[in-house]
Structures are given as structure tokens and as C-alpha cells.
Amino acid sequence: MSGHDSKYFSTTKKGEIPELKEELNSQYKDKRKDAVKKVIAAMTVGKDVSSLFTDVVNCMQTENLELKKLVYLYLINYAKSQPDLAILAVNTFVKDSQDPNPLIRALAVRTMGCIRVDKITEYLCDPLQRCLKDDDPYVRKTAAICVAKLYDINAELVEDRGFLEALKDLISDNNPMVVANAVAALAEIQDSSARPIFEITSHTLSKLLTALNECTEWGQVFILDSLSKYKAADVREAENIVERVTPRLQHANCAVVLSAVKIILLQMELITSTDVVRNLCKKMAPPLVTLLSAEPEIQYVALRNINLIVQKRPTILAHEIKVFFCKYNDPIYVKMEKLEIMIKLASDRNIDQVLLEFKEYATEVDVDFVRKAVRAIGRCAIKLERAAERCISVLLELIKIKVNYVVQEAIIVIKDIFRRYPNTYESIIATLCESLDTLDEPEAKASMIWIIGEYAERIDNADELLESFLETFPEEPALVQLQLLTATVKLFLKKPTEGPQQMIQAVLNNATVETDNPDLRDRAYIYWRLLSTDPEAAKDVVLAEKPVISDDSNQLDSSLLDDLLANISTLSSVYHKPPEAFVSRVKTAPRADDEEFADAAETGYSESPSQGVDGASPSSSAGTSSHVPVMQPPATPAPMPDLLGDLMGMDNSIISAQLVRRDGQIFYDISFDNGTQAVLDGFMIQFNKNTFGVAAGGPLQVPPMQPGASARSLLPMVAFQNISPGAPNSLLQVAVKNNQQPVWYFNDKIPMHVFFGEDGKMERTSFLEAWKSLPDDNEFSKEFAASVISSIDATIEHLAASNVFFIAKRKNANKDVLYMSAKIPRGIPFLIELTAAVGVPGVKCAVKTPNKEMVALFFEAMESLLK
Amino acid sequence: MISQFFVLSQRGDHIVFRDYRGEVPKGSAEIFFRKVKFWNDDEAEEAPPVFNVDGVNYIHVKVAGLFFVVTTMVNVSPSLLLELLQRIARVTKDYLGVLNEDSLRKNFILVYELLDEVIDFGYPQTTSTEVLKSYIFNEPIMVDAGRLPPLGPAAMFMQGSKRMPGTAVTKSVVATEPGGKKREEIFVDIIERISVTFSSSGYILTSEIDGTIQMKSYLTGNPEIRLALNEDLSIGRTGSSSTYDYRSSSGGGAVILDDCNFHESVHLDSFDIDRTLHLIPPDGEFAVMNYRITQEFKPPFRVTSLIEEAGSCKAEVTLKIRADFSANVTANTIIVQMPVPSYTMRASFELEAGAVGQNTDFKEGSRRIEWNLKKACIVGGSEHTLRAKLTFSQESHGIILIEALLVYAPRNLTKEAGPVNMNFTIPMYNSSKLQVRYLQIAKKSKTYNPYRWVRYVTQANSYVARL
């Protein structure tokens, strides 16, 4: 290649597109390649060159890899916006996936996986299947990742075509790169599915540990992170894992080191031998410290993790405090984290060194850092009783420099020290009072006022000092006002003389009449009441002894800490937040549901919903924005409200709906209340795939609704049309929209009894036969504690209305036993035995059915019928 | 995993932008740039390398004045992403010879080709220049390295990178030389960054060496290399205490590493026996070994500083540096800086008689004095002194300050000035005494005698003397 690529950016004149078109169709190879480069250049700067689609695709059939790659790059970008034309590329893709050159084979599947267009995806399956078994590891490792891509587009397809199994087979591949990618793909698929897909067994464990030694640094991280989810069976296994992982601590890649540390920490929980644990701690220290020699960005991540590790296992780095001393050229974010760890590691042994450092930091330029350093001195004083005095003398030294913000910060921490060690260091109050006039930050002011109030009896001119603050009472921030109020009350209780009495009058007046802050007013009223009714009681309340404080700032509670330690070396351990707090991607089973909802929201609604649902819709993610509103179904469906169905607020509009059965036909009984000021029309509805394959049997017919009007519609439904795979559940995800309002999603429940057929009645003999023929482990029973049978006959009649048919009954002691049957489509029978005492709460329901999976849903339905 | 990768210029322009998963809303690059520029209410504070805005996680590093950024929606390992970003920068540099906005823009097609091989669907695949060579078909377009500012130590600090790029090597590993034939050569750089903190009395409070043995190979056929280090090298401090007694341990001359790690291509089979590293160096620049030393060492410079009151609103500063290394070594440009009290108005300087190649400055904005010494004058064993007279303001600062000066002047001056910090590079010198005893290339041919460059460099990391 000759010349500069940047020349392709230069031509921006009119007529560029026709010009490019001509060049793309040139008979000369080089000219075509140059033209494609120009197209890509235009594309990368955001110009729309989608109109050249056909011409670019025409260049795809070439032996020249450089050119082919360019065309592929173009396709990835524009296929979504030209789904119909994208089909033109399919032939070449499929041909390429069988090319003798492994690079071309891999390139073809890799690129097809990136094009989220139905028509391409359809054709991806066969090549992918071949490539997963390709002879060339480069092709296999590309195919492994491609499975994850396909899962993201169409999870069902992946499961149906057995790609998950193929992927699991790749864990045993002889190429470590392939293993690593298979692990990464499986981990991602597992993350987006609630079903267990990728579970590490002791067999896979040993394979992964072997692959670990040979694969690239990135692959090592994938494997280590998957291993971190493995729970060792016993101590021996834990020790074995640790032993195999420990050499990773020597890796030059910090991510590998941190992931290894995570595993070792987790497995250490199981290891009981203190010697082994001590030894491991010793081994982890140098690599952790070495992380601090890396780039500052990595240091930051390492420090955030170390912060967690030292909270759990302080011994690991107890002797390494020096490495956390700040360097003058550390970025501020690194300095701040180091300071935090220094406080955590400070001990009686090293406190002198640490204080010397803090003192130095307190005179640096960066204001935030200086403040934090001053605060750190105070926190050490609170943490280490024996060092408190030395800390205070350092603080006093700093106060004497009279740098305003240092003084203020020092006063704030000294207040805490007074709280921690009452009646110990009051001698320094005089020094503090010298700086009174310079205080201008609310927190510092409030702290100083607290000190004056708390020690009013020992400060000769406490009343004068407080009075000087009182002059500006109305202008002070609430924080200071509250402290002034309390301090004045304390002063008055300690020195009930004339001066303080006048002050208290003024303050109470100010704080009750002249304020609109309810906190201040309420506190003032309480004091006022107390003082006027029983001054002794007031003393007991206001001057009561305070509980001792400890330094718990930035200390995490132990359950959160454990949670975070399990997430060492992830973003979670950097933010110090559990993953749920910032990862918005939700787990659902099965995943495809989410996608389709999102898609439906984008593509607009099909007038015939039954088709709209199944036409599996990834093409719709072609929209310009990739951000889609994703409904988050609750982990367990909400309990079904008795007969009202689910209520869903639309502004002030209400939808209520439920599945019902009428004359052997299932309907979705849905009613709308228009609470808006507008006429609502154009209602449409769509159902997500569900266990029973419930879908609309026709369009939703709701007449235009005037404001305030309501409407009701019985939408005929079809069932068992498009069944979502996975464990049965009763979740029904519904989306409703109209022309005026945004799309509304809600979760309904499918009451199973709507499927109970009119043909469910069984003869006594066939019932008995069926009962006997089913093995005992097909029998389940459940107690409905809240249900009451008040009359046998009424119950039989009520259940018969829902197609649960009575067969026989008998008496057993004081209880009645009823035998009944029901049947759902596909001939699945339920043989039921209900045991209850009339009028007494508690119905025992036993059931035998060949279809065990449905039992939970069956019980749900019965319970609701018996309510 | 990774949703997007992009490179932004210092002004926020997109230079490279690749979306791998299409899950992050549009405008992420703009959101990132705004956040980084105005971190913490547009104060000068630097944004941390990892942060979350509206559910999107942004992870970035700054390399060569450019932002290298990835975004992700899931809870991944940020250290993996940070390492990856550094590695992408390095691979790109391997290919392009130099890494800057110009070279990236000129080679955007090559860069996209690289990115597609390095990351697939957000998962890092390979960052080895060697491996990548067989998948990459575009050829780099060289930019004129002559027009670039030299990559001195100062440039290195701007990059915030420990692994300094091979000092003068700005040629691509894949491009052929204009003459057609590739020059057979291999560079081994022992780069040590030292941190020393002196107390006010000249006593060493902390000292540390962060070292890297960096290699860049242009050898054809990837022959095996043997790299022999000091025979008496030992790893790991004995005992867990933080105080050591070196004299009794191994005669004082031994090099003790606290910890070290190696590149994955390194075989350590004979390392325990004869301290020799065997490796087949992949193409491109990489760190063979990183090591860390807290063993005592002789700091290359002694710094003494003094600040004294000289009248009510004046003070005198004396800075003295002594080069504590042998006379055949010469340090590169030295910069000595000292913050002065914020109420300093003027500073006048007095250099020793006959001083050449030195200059001084009072930076009013950042309130510090700066002393630069040019290369020629810092020969081992030499000593240099600077005297500065500071004049403080009388009027503009309130009574408190004046009072403070009168009452506490001696103590306050040292609190409000300093610490002194130094920046320097000393070529062909290393503090740790770690040596490459020999570098052997296992290729059997009499005529084959490639150029071998073994270079030592010591740089200041945080070299501070407190007042």
C-alpha cells in the first residue's frame, strides 16, 4: 500500500458519493481497494455512506484479505440499516466460512456474529457449527466467542442447536486459547441466564487449572474469574486450588495477580490450618505491594482492593506501611487512597512514623489532601488510645501555622477526640479559642461551639464566646444554629446566672419564632418545655453521659465486606458497592424474553400480535439507538390478586386484566379506565413468550376512549403456540400501548386453571388405575393453610365450574377426603386428593401427575381456587 | 465485557472509536470527556481512572497525552481493562513506531484492523505483537519522528508510565527500512525509577527502586536469548520485619529484590541456579522483568536545603546538590523545585561564581522556585549551590500573617515552604547494582552478529528532601 490513509479524509466536495460509486465499480483492483478505504474513512468520521451498500458488497468476493476485512468492517456498520440488502452478503459469508484459509473462515463467522440481522443470523448456525469443530484453533477460539454473540441475539437458537454443549466440549480443547474463550463465553451466557448452564465440576476444575498455565494473560484472567465461583468441596481441594493458583502471583499482569489473590482469599476461608494461612498471607504481601509500582491507574485499583483486604486480614500488610507513604508525584486520587490505608495500618508500633508523614502532608498544596491528612491524624488519635496525646500535639502544631483550612479541619477532629477521651485534653481549649475568629466553615464552627458548650464550666468566658456567635444566629446555617442552641442550653444548665439566662431567652426566641426550620424549632421547643417544667430533668437529658465513639468512618460492615471480597479485582471492589448497585443488566429466565420485549418496544406494534411475538425479532435492535427500555420482572411474580387481575397505573389511567376461561375458550379479560385528558385510541397488546405459549388470538379491539371513559374487552387467546423453554413458571409479560401514551409493560400471572379442560372428568375406575400406574415419586402434596372448606357440596360445585371434577369422597376420622381430576391440554391429567375438616382452616392437597414440572403451578392454581 | 473502546485527543476529539456490543447509549465519549475535564466542580483535580456515570463504567488511562478509554456495562476486572489499554497503546506503538494523534489518524485502517484482532465481542484476545503479525495485513505509514518532541524523562512523567518507551526507538517492528533490509538489533534497557525521601536532617526516611528490564527485539527468526543477571541476586527479604541488617547478610554487595515478576515468554528453569533468564523474545517492546527493591542504596544525589529568616519580610533559601556518583557518569537535565510560602512576592537568585548551563526561575502562579541544570555541568562528584532571596508581601496579607511571621517565623517558614523535589535522568547508571552479565543470542552462524544494546538508566520518581 502506498500513500497516506489520511488522504481519504480530504475529499468532502459535493458529488463524493457518485464518485465513490464509480470507483467501487472500477475494473482495477487497486482502485476498488482505495475506494473502499475512502468509504471507511467517511464512515469513521460519521458520514452516511450507507447508500453505497450494494457497491461495497460487490467488492466482498476477493482473495485480498486486506480488502475483505474492510468490506466486513463496512458490513458490521451498515447491515442493520439495510437488512434487506444484507442478504446479498450471505452467500459470500457462507462461502468464506468454508475457505481453505483459516483466517478467512474465522473472519467470516466473527463478522456474521457481529451483524445483528435476522437474515444473517439464520445462516450463521451451520457455519458456526462447523467452525466450532474446525481443525484450526484460531477458528475454534473465534467460534467460541461467536456463540456468546449469538446467545445475545437469540438465546433460544443457541440452546436448540446444541451450541451450549459444543461450547462445554471446548473446555477440554487442547488449545488453551480456545479453552479460555469457551470459558469466557460460558461465563457470559451464565450471567444472563438464571438457569444453571456453566457449573464447574471437579472434572472441569482440573482441566481449567491445567489450561491456566498455558494460556495468554487475558485467558488466565477469564479462567481465574470463573474459578472464583467454584466452591471447593473440602480443605484438601481448597489447598490444592491455592497451590495451583499461587504461581500466578508472580505474573507481570496486575489483573492476573489480583484475580489470583481473589481466589486465594476465598479458598483461605476453608483452610483451617493457621500455618497454611499464615504462609499464604506472607506470599501475597510482596505481589500486592508490587502492584503499587505499576502505572498510577492500576495503583488506584490495587489500593481500593487492598483497602478491603486489610479490613479482612490486617496481618498481610501490617509490616508494609512504608510503601503506602505518598510520593510527591502521585496523582491526588492515589494519595487519598494511600492515606486511607495508612490509617487502617497505623498501630502503636508505627504511629510515630505515620504522624511524621501526616504532618508533612498537612502542609502540602492540595487543599483536599491537606484536609484529609489532618482528619487522618484525628482518626489515629481515636483509634490508638496510647498515641492520642502525640496526635493532639501534632494537631496543635498545625493549628499554630494558622493556615485557615488546616485550623478548621483540626478543630473538627479535636471535637471527636474530646468525645472519645472525655475530660482528658481540655487544657488545649485555650489554644483552640485563639482561632475562634477565623472560623468560617459551618462544620468547624459547629464543632467549636460544641466544645464550648460541653466544657462551659471550665472556660471562664464561655458566655462571652458563645455570645459572639449568637450575634449572627439568624444568618448561620442550620448545623451551626442547632449547635448554638444546644450549647447555650448547656451553658445555662451549668452556669444558671443572669448572663446565660438572657442568652437562652434570646436563642429560644430566635429558634422558635424567627425560624422556619422545623428541626431547629422542635428542638428548641423541647428544651423550652424541659427547662420550664423540670430543670433537673433537663440536666439529666442534656448533660447526660455520652456513649464512647470509635473510628468507624470508612469501615464497611462485615456482610458488605464479605460480599466485596468475593468481588475482589472487579469494579465492585473499586466502587466498594455490591455489583447489583451499579450493574443494570437483569437476570431473567429465559433471557430471550427480555430481548423480545425490548424489540417489540422498538419496532412498533404488529396489528396481529400472534405473529408479532413469534417472528423472533432481533432485527429490530437495528434501531439507531442501542438503548432499549428493558422491563425488569421481579424475581418472583407477584401473588395474584384474587379476581381483579393486575392493576397497572397509566398516568391516571388504569388497566386491569386477567386470564379467564369461558365456554372452553381462554380470553384475556381486560378493562381500561381513561384517566387522562385526551381521547385514547389505537390500543394494541402484545404478550411475551411464556410457559404455556399464551398469545393473543386476534387484535385487541378497544373503541376510542373519551377522557374519563372506561372500556372492557374480551380478547380471545390461543395457547401452546410459542412456548418459551425453561422451567415452567406462571409469569405472563404483557405490553400495551395506544397512540397517545408510551408503551406500558406489566407482569401478569397465568392462573393454570384456565387450561383445565372440560374433558377433565374421569371415571372412578380409570382414576384408580391411573393413580396406581403412576410411581410414588410423582405424588406431591401441599398444605393450603389459609383455605377453608365450609361446605363440601359448595366446594365441589365451585371447583367444577373451573373444570376440576369430583370423583369420590370418603371420611377419615373427622376429615373429609375428596378425589377429583383435572386435565390440561396435551392430555396431561392431574389426580387430586383434598383432605380437610369442614370449617377448619387448612386444606391438604395431594396430586399425582405424569408431568412433575407443572406441579408447583398446579398448587398455585388450586390454592387460588380454594380461597 | 468491554462495550466500546475509544481514543480521544486532549481536546476531546474522537481519534479512534470502536463499539463491540452496541449496548452503551450514544454520546458516551462526550459524557466521558466532560466528566474527566470537570471532575469535582471543575477544580484541577484529576479524575480517577475508573468511574460510573448513569450505569456505564468508564475506564481510562492517559498515554502520550491521549485518553485511551473503554466502557462496560458489567462488573468486570478493571485492572484487566487498564492493563489492556496500556497494552493496546504499546502494540499500536510497536506497529506505528510512534504513538500520537497524527500517527493514529494516518493509520486508522491499520488501527481498526488491530483492534478487531485484539478484542472480539469485548473479550481481549491477544496483545502480543508477535502473534498479531500473522493476522494483520495493512502496513503502517510512518510519520516523521523528527518533528516530535523528544521523549525525555519529562515526557515520560506526562504519560504517567513506568515502562518508558525504548529511549530512541521509534521505528516500527513491522515496517521495512527504506533500504529494504532490516537491521538486526536488540535493545535491552534496565530502567530504574528511584524514590527517596530525605528528612530535614538529611537522613533517608524511605527509599525504593522500581526497576524494569525492557526489551525490544528486531531480530529475524526469533532466536532464543539468554540474559544473565548478577549471580548473587536474591529474591525476598528474610523475616517479616521491616528492618534489615545487610552487612551481616551477604557481604553488602548482593542485590536483594523484594519481589519481581516476569514476562510470560520467560523461562525460569535455570534462574534459581545461575540467575539466567531464557526467552524467545516476541516482537515489539515488552518488560522482561519487573522488580522492586527497598534494600538500602546510595542515592545519586544529596540535597541540602536551608531557609532562614532575613529581616521582617525576607528569607534566604540555600539549595545545595552533590552528585554522589563516579566522575565518568553525567546526569541529564536536572530540575530542582521548591515551593515557597504563598505570600512570597519576589525571588532573586544568586548562582555560584562561573556557573554555566544553569538557570533559575520564580514561578509566581504555582509559588515555587525552580532551578535547572543542563547536562554538561552535572558530572559525578560535582557540587552546586543556589541561593535565593525571597521577599514577602507586607500589605496584602492580614495582621495574622504578619503576627505569625513575627512569632513563629522559623517554624512556619519550613512548614510553608518545601519540600524540595528533584527530577533527573542519569544514563548508564543504576542504583541497584543489578547488572546484565551477558546477553547471548542462540543462533548458530559466524556471520550473524546483530547489534546488542544494553543500556542502563536511572530516573527520579519521587526524589524529595524535606525542610
Side-chain angles (χ1 to χ4, degrees), chain B residues 135-147:
Chain B
Y135 309 131
I136 302 296
F137 296 90
N138 279 288
E139 290 209 10
I141 300 142
M142 290 299 131
V143 295
D144 184 5
R147 286 185 291 121

PDB file of all heavy atoms in Angstrom, chain B residues 135-147:
ATOM      1  N   TYR B 135      -1.946 -11.939  11.603  1.00  0.00           N
ATOM      2  CA  TYR B 135      -3.338 -11.624  11.259  1.00  0.00           C
ATOM      3  C   TYR B 135      -3.504 -10.228  10.655  1.00  0.00           C
ATOM      4  O   TYR B 135      -4.603  -9.846  10.292  1.00  0.00           O
ATOM      5  CB  TYR B 135      -4.234 -11.724  12.495  1.00  0.00           C
ATOM      6  CG  TYR B 135      -4.087 -13.007  13.260  1.00  0.00           C
ATOM      7  CD1 TYR B 135      -3.903 -12.985  14.634  1.00  0.00           C
ATOM      8  CD2 TYR B 135      -4.142 -14.240  12.613  1.00  0.00           C
ATOM      9  CE1 TYR B 135      -3.769 -14.158  15.357  1.00  0.00           C
ATOM     10  CE2 TYR B 135      -3.998 -15.404  13.327  1.00  0.00           C
ATOM     11  CZ  TYR B 135      -3.816 -15.367  14.698  1.00  0.00           C
ATOM     12  OH  TYR B 135      -3.683 -16.530  15.394  1.00  0.00           O
ATOM     13  N   ILE B 136      -2.456  -9.475  10.660  1.00  0.00           N
ATOM     14  CA  ILE B 136      -2.581  -8.073  10.263  1.00  0.00           C
ATOM     15  C   ILE B 136      -1.988  -7.883   8.871  1.00  0.00           C
ATOM     16  O   ILE B 136      -0.864  -8.321   8.611  1.00  0.00           O
ATOM     17  CB  ILE B 136      -1.864  -7.155  11.278  1.00  0.00           C
ATOM     18  CG1 ILE B 136      -2.450  -7.349  12.674  1.00  0.00           C
ATOM     19  CG2 ILE B 136      -1.943  -5.687  10.864  1.00  0.00           C
ATOM     20  CD1 ILE B 136      -3.888  -6.962  12.835  1.00  0.00           C
ATOM     21  N   PHE B 137      -2.745  -7.235   7.999  1.00  0.00           N
ATOM     22  CA  PHE B 137      -2.308  -7.138   6.609  1.00  0.00           C
ATOM     23  C   PHE B 137      -2.000  -5.731   6.156  1.00  0.00           C
ATOM     24  O   PHE B 137      -1.317  -5.519   5.177  1.00  0.00           O
ATOM     25  CB  PHE B 137      -3.368  -7.767   5.704  1.00  0.00           C
ATOM     26  CG  PHE B 137      -3.507  -9.234   5.972  1.00  0.00           C
ATOM     27  CD1 PHE B 137      -4.410  -9.699   6.917  1.00  0.00           C
ATOM     28  CD2 PHE B 137      -2.667 -10.134   5.352  1.00  0.00           C
ATOM     29  CE1 PHE B 137      -4.501 -11.045   7.196  1.00  0.00           C
ATOM     30  CE2 PHE B 137      -2.757 -11.483   5.634  1.00  0.00           C
ATOM     31  CZ  PHE B 137      -3.670 -11.943   6.560  1.00  0.00           C
ATOM     32  N   ASN B 138      -2.520  -4.753   6.857  1.00  0.00           N
ATOM     33  CA  ASN B 138      -2.197  -3.384   6.485  1.00  0.00           C
ATOM     34  C   ASN B 138      -0.774  -3.054   6.906  1.00  0.00           C
ATOM     35  O   ASN B 138      -0.270  -3.587   7.894  1.00  0.00           O
ATOM     36  CB  ASN B 138      -3.156  -2.411   7.170  1.00  0.00           C
ATOM     37  CG  ASN B 138      -4.470  -2.328   6.436  1.00  0.00           C
ATOM     38  OD1 ASN B 138      -4.547  -1.761   5.367  1.00  0.00           O
ATOM     39  ND2 ASN B 138      -5.495  -2.936   7.013  1.00  0.00           N
ATOM     40  N   GLU B 139      -0.169  -2.161   6.154  1.00  0.00           N
ATOM     41  CA  GLU B 139       1.177  -1.750   6.542  1.00  0.00           C
ATOM     42  C   GLU B 139       1.135  -0.347   7.101  1.00  0.00           C
ATOM     43  O   GLU B 139       0.344   0.485   6.670  1.00  0.00           O
ATOM     44  CB  GLU B 139       2.095  -1.825   5.330  1.00  0.00           C
ATOM     45  CG  GLU B 139       2.324  -3.256   4.954  1.00  0.00           C
ATOM     46  CD  GLU B 139       3.660  -3.460   4.288  1.00  0.00           C
ATOM     47  OE1 GLU B 139       4.469  -2.521   4.297  1.00  0.00           O
ATOM     48  OE2 GLU B 139       3.876  -4.569   3.760  1.00  0.00           O
ATOM     49  N   PRO B 140       1.987  -0.101   8.078  1.00  0.00           N
ATOM     50  CA  PRO B 140       1.952   1.217   8.713  1.00  0.00           C
ATOM     51  C   PRO B 140       2.497   2.307   7.796  1.00  0.00           C
ATOM     52  O   PRO B 140       3.347   2.050   6.948  1.00  0.00           O
ATOM     53  CB  PRO B 140       2.852   1.039   9.933  1.00  0.00           C
ATOM     54  CG  PRO B 140       3.753  -0.090   9.585  1.00  0.00           C
ATOM     55  CD  PRO B 140       2.981  -0.991   8.686  1.00  0.00           C
ATOM     56  N   ILE B 141       1.992   3.483   7.975  1.00  0.00           N
ATOM     57  CA  ILE B 141       2.517   4.652   7.289  1.00  0.00           C
ATOM     58  C   ILE B 141       3.285   5.436   8.335  1.00  0.00           C
ATOM     59  O   ILE B 141       2.731   5.831   9.357  1.00  0.00           O
ATOM     60  CB  ILE B 141       1.369   5.514   6.746  1.00  0.00           C
ATOM     61  CG1 ILE B 141       0.551   4.690   5.761  1.00  0.00           C
ATOM     62  CG2 ILE B 141       1.906   6.773   6.110  1.00  0.00           C
ATOM     63  CD1 ILE B 141      -0.917   4.953   5.864  1.00  0.00           C
ATOM     64  N   MET B 142       4.555   5.623   8.083  1.00  0.00           N
ATOM     65  CA  MET B 142       5.376   6.262   9.103  1.00  0.00           C
ATOM     66  C   MET B 142       5.100   7.762   9.152  1.00  0.00           C
ATOM     67  O   MET B 142       4.973   8.399   8.124  1.00  0.00           O
ATOM     68  CB  MET B 142       6.857   6.031   8.777  1.00  0.00           C
ATOM     69  CG  MET B 142       7.274   4.604   8.973  1.00  0.00           C
ATOM     70  SD  MET B 142       7.030   4.184  10.703  1.00  0.00           S
ATOM     71  CE  MET B 142       6.165   2.674  10.530  1.00  0.00           C
ATOM     72  N   VAL B 143       5.046   8.272  10.361  1.00  0.00           N
ATOM     73  CA  VAL B 143       5.036   9.729  10.469  1.00  0.00           C
ATOM     74  C   VAL B 143       6.461  10.142  10.786  1.00  0.00           C
ATOM     75  O   VAL B 143       7.253   9.354  11.285  1.00  0.00           O
ATOM     76  CB  VAL B 143       4.080  10.238  11.569  1.00  0.00           C
ATOM     77  CG1 VAL B 143       2.660   9.897  11.220  1.00  0.00           C
ATOM     78  CG2 VAL B 143       4.456   9.673  12.915  1.00  0.00           C
ATOM     79  N   ASP B 144       6.750  11.370  10.501  1.00  0.00           N
ATOM     80  CA  ASP B 144       8.103  11.859  10.676  1.00  0.00           C
ATOM     81  C   ASP B 144       8.403  12.037  12.157  1.00  0.00           C
ATOM     82  O   ASP B 144       7.888  12.934  12.808  1.00  0.00           O
ATOM     83  CB  ASP B 144       8.242  13.191   9.936  1.00  0.00           C
ATOM     84  CG  ASP B 144       9.663  13.682  10.002  1.00  0.00           C
ATOM     85  OD1 ASP B 144      10.516  12.933  10.523  1.00  0.00           O
ATOM     86  OD2 ASP B 144       9.896  14.803   9.543  1.00  0.00           O
ATOM     87  N   ALA B 145       9.236  11.151  12.682  1.00  0.00           N
ATOM     88  CA  ALA B 145       9.527  11.204  14.112  1.00  0.00           C
ATOM     89  C   ALA B 145      10.338  12.432  14.463  1.00  0.00           C
ATOM     90  O   ALA B 145      10.364  12.873  15.605  1.00  0.00           O
ATOM     91  CB  ALA B 145      10.270   9.950  14.538  1.00  0.00           C
ATOM     92  N   GLY B 146      11.032  12.986  13.451  1.00  0.00           N
ATOM     93  CA  GLY B 146      11.890  14.144  13.717  1.00  0.00           C
ATOM     94  C   GLY B 146      11.123  15.347  14.222  1.00  0.00           C
ATOM     95  O   GLY B 146      11.647  16.154  14.983  1.00  0.00           O
ATOM     96  N   ARG B 147       9.870  15.420  13.803  1.00  0.00           N
ATOM     97  CA  ARG B 147       9.101  16.597  14.212  1.00  0.00           C
ATOM     98  C   ARG B 147       8.548  16.468  15.630  1.00  0.00           C
ATOM     99  O   ARG B 147       7.992  17.387  16.175  1.00  0.00           O
ATOM    100  CB  ARG B 147       7.938  16.817  13.240  1.00  0.00           C
ATOM    101  CG  ARG B 147       8.364  17.377  11.901  1.00  0.00           C
ATOM    102  CD  ARG B 147       7.162  17.682  11.043  1.00  0.00           C
ATOM    103  NE  ARG B 147       6.494  16.467  10.610  1.00  0.00           N
ATOM    104  CZ  ARG B 147       5.234  16.199  10.882  1.00  0.00           C
ATOM    105  NH1 ARG B 147       4.510  17.036  11.576  1.00  0.00           N
ATOM    106  NH2 ARG B 147       4.688  15.082  10.440  1.00  0.00           N
TER     107      ARG B 147
END
